[in-house]
Structures are given as C-alpha cells and as structure tokens.
Amino acid sequence: MVEAFAVASGKGGTGKTTSTLALGMALAERYDVTVVDADTGMANLLFHTGLDDADVTLHDLLVEGREASVDDAVYDRFGMSVVPCGTSLAAFEAADPGRLREVVAELAAGTDVLLLDSPAALGSKSAVLPVVLADRVVVVLQPTVPSLSDGLKVQEYARSYGTETAGVLFNRVRPDEDVERIAEQASRYFGGSALASVPESDAVRAARRAGEPLLAHAPTAPAADAFREAAATLDVRE
Ligand code: ADP
Ligand code: MG
C-alpha cells in the first residue's frame, strides 16, 4: 500500500463522506483506491454509492468469530473498492470497533490508497481509531471560527498518535466568503495551505439524492473541480 488517509472533522455534516468519495474517485485515476465507511455508528456512505441494500458490510467484519471474509464486504463502485457500513443500531452494538485495526491491515495489503471516512468528534476510543490507524488525516472544515477550532482539536489529537495533517479541505464555501482569508487561516492554524475550497453546491445535494458520488453525478461541476484539485494537492507518497 502507498498511504492510508482518514477523512475527519470535529462535527458531523461538514462533508466527510462527500469528500471521501470525491477524493477517492479523483485518486482512482492514478491509484487502486479503497474507501471504507469507518463511521460505524452513523454510517451513511452506502447512501452515496447505491449500496443501501448491501448484504455484507463492515459491521459483519467487526463481530467476534466473524464468518464473512473481508472480500465479501468489498464492492466495485465508480472505479473504486468500496466497503460500506450498515445502519442498524443492533449491528453497531454487536460490532467490536477495535477489530477495525485488523480489517484495515487486510484491506491495506490489497490496495494503493485507503481512505477512511471517519466519525465526527473525539468522544470515544472507537471514534478516533480511524485517525489513529491512518498515515495522514484530511481535516474537513467549514470556513467558520467554530469549525476551525474543532479542526484544530482533530489535528492535535491526530498528532498525539503520530498522524500528521495531509491538509485541510474547506467545504461549503459560500460565494460571499473571502477565499484569501480562508487560505490565510489554513496556513496560520494548520501550517500549510488549504487543499481546496469547495463551494456550497446544488450538484453535491443532487448527487446525494441520486445515490452517486459527486464526481460520477456531476463531473464538470465547480465543486468536482475543487475536489480534483484537492486530490492532486494531497501529494500521495509513492
Ligand atoms: P458528513 O459525512 O461529514 O456528516 P456529508 O458528506 O454526509 O457530511 O454531508 C452532509 C450533508 O451536506 C449532505 O446532505 C451533503 O449532500 C451536504 N453537503 C456536503 N457538502 C456540500 C456542498 N459542498 N454543497 C452542498 N451540500 C453539501
Ligand atoms: Mg458521513
């Protein structure tokens, strides 16, 4: 494997799942990419990939004495290998999140780039495990002070486990937002430039409704260009 990235944020709804799939599709033009819905409590990547009815999911790989093999939970979608997670509360409760470590190790052996769509918040050990397991973290933020503050905490926590920040991705940037100010904030707080500023976009919402990643549903939308730019700026380690 080349590299594993966690896509994380302080709060939910910043666009982690949208970003994971968009970065994944952009990187899939050069690499074998596997995306994993590691947000085992609030999984929703399945709804963005037409996998609502997937038989075997990450939950089945996290149970003690599992019967499923890792390959059973891998689906070919949009040029990537996708490991969805189910939405049942009972399955979440039956799963042992600590087993993610061995599942990630198995997946990593068969792919170039692994993207872990991560839970929001740092409340529990299981919520931070994807960030701990990754080589680097992509922090998804909105261009607001509270979101920046959340993102800084994610960065600090990740660093305490040796996971460096690959970059920050400003999402849902409105037309009246000052992009230069955002770039300045990124370098001041995160010690590097923003990977990209992704605009607030009807195309993102339409893609979700269609059950497709943005880059499949609206490849020419400005938001799709911004995500491709972010993927190129990631500078995956060869
Ligand atoms: P998270 O995984 O961080 O909870 P999602 O990727 O699921 O966030 O996004 C949350 C909601 O916001 C979704 O309905 C998604 O379609 C919408 N959304 C995300 N990014 C954008 C954007 N750039 N423009 C418009 N809507 C967006
Ligand atoms: Mg999500």
Side-chain angles (χ1 to χ4, degrees), residues 9 14 37 55 81 120 126 147 175 191 220 229:
S9 70
T14 55
D37 191 348
D55 267 351
S81 297
S126 64
S147 189
T220 59
E229 187 193 320

Side-chain angles (χ1 to χ4, degrees), residues 9-203:
S9 70
K11 294 212 168 65
T14 55
K16 293 179 296 300
T17 301
T18 302
S19 303
T20 303
L21 290 167
L23 293 173
M25 278 193 68
L27 291 169
E29 287 177 16
R30 279 188 62 193
Y31 302 98
D32 266 350
V33 172
T34 301
V35 302
V36 181
D37 191 348
D39 191 354
T40 53
M42 293 291 167
N44 51 31
L45 190 140
L46 74 174
F47 301 123
H48 296 245
T49 46
L51 288 168
D52 311 29
D53 298 322
D55 267 351
V56 182
T57 79
L58 181 63
H59 276 153
D60 301 295
L61 304 180
L62 299 178
V63 290
E64 201 185 327
R66 81 177 196 219
E67 285 169 12
S69 76
V70 165
D71 286 346
D72 295 337
V74 179
Y75 300 81
D76 265 341
R77 285 289 185 282
F78 308 103
M80 306 175 285
S81 297
V82 177
V83 181
C85 190
T87 56
S88 138
L89 182 59
F92 168 65
E93 286 182 333
D96 170 3
R99 291 174 189 269
L100 185 64
R101 189 180 292 274
E102 63 193 54
V103 172
V104 161
E106 259 188 82
L107 288 167
T111 195
D112 292 339
V113 176
L114 195 59
L115 291 170
L116 305 172
D117 184 8
S118 307
L122 307 170
S124 68
K125 274 198 172 151
S126 64
V128 297
L129 191 53
V131 169
V132 174
L133 296 177
D135 297 307
R136 288 192 287 163
V137 59
V138 174
V139 183
V140 182
L141 299 177
Q142 263 136 44
T144 64
V145 170
S147 189
L148 274 171
S149 160
D150 294 346
L152 279 170
K153 255 177 279 173
V154 172
Q155 168 167 273
E156 197 183 329
Y157 201 91
R159 277 199 180 142
S160 74
Y161 282 95
T163 305
E164 279 303 316
T165 306
V168 290
L169 207 159
F170 285 99
N171 187 29
R172 309 198 79 155
V173 177
R174 294 182 173 278
D176 59 352
E177 214 92 53
D178 183 344
V179 173
E180 272 179 33
R181 185 180 63 90
I182 296 169
E184 196 263 325
Q185 286 175 336
S187 71
R188 174 144 34 110
Y189 294 113
F190 293 92
S193 54
L195 292 172
S197 289
V198 179
E200 175 73 26
S201 159
D202 287 341

Side-chain angles (χ1 to χ4, degrees), residues 199-217:
E200 175 73 26
S201 159
D202 287 341
V204 173
R205 283 185 286 271
R208 223 295 304 137
R209 281 195 298 274
E212 290 179 343
L214 173 69
L215 269 64
H217 189 74

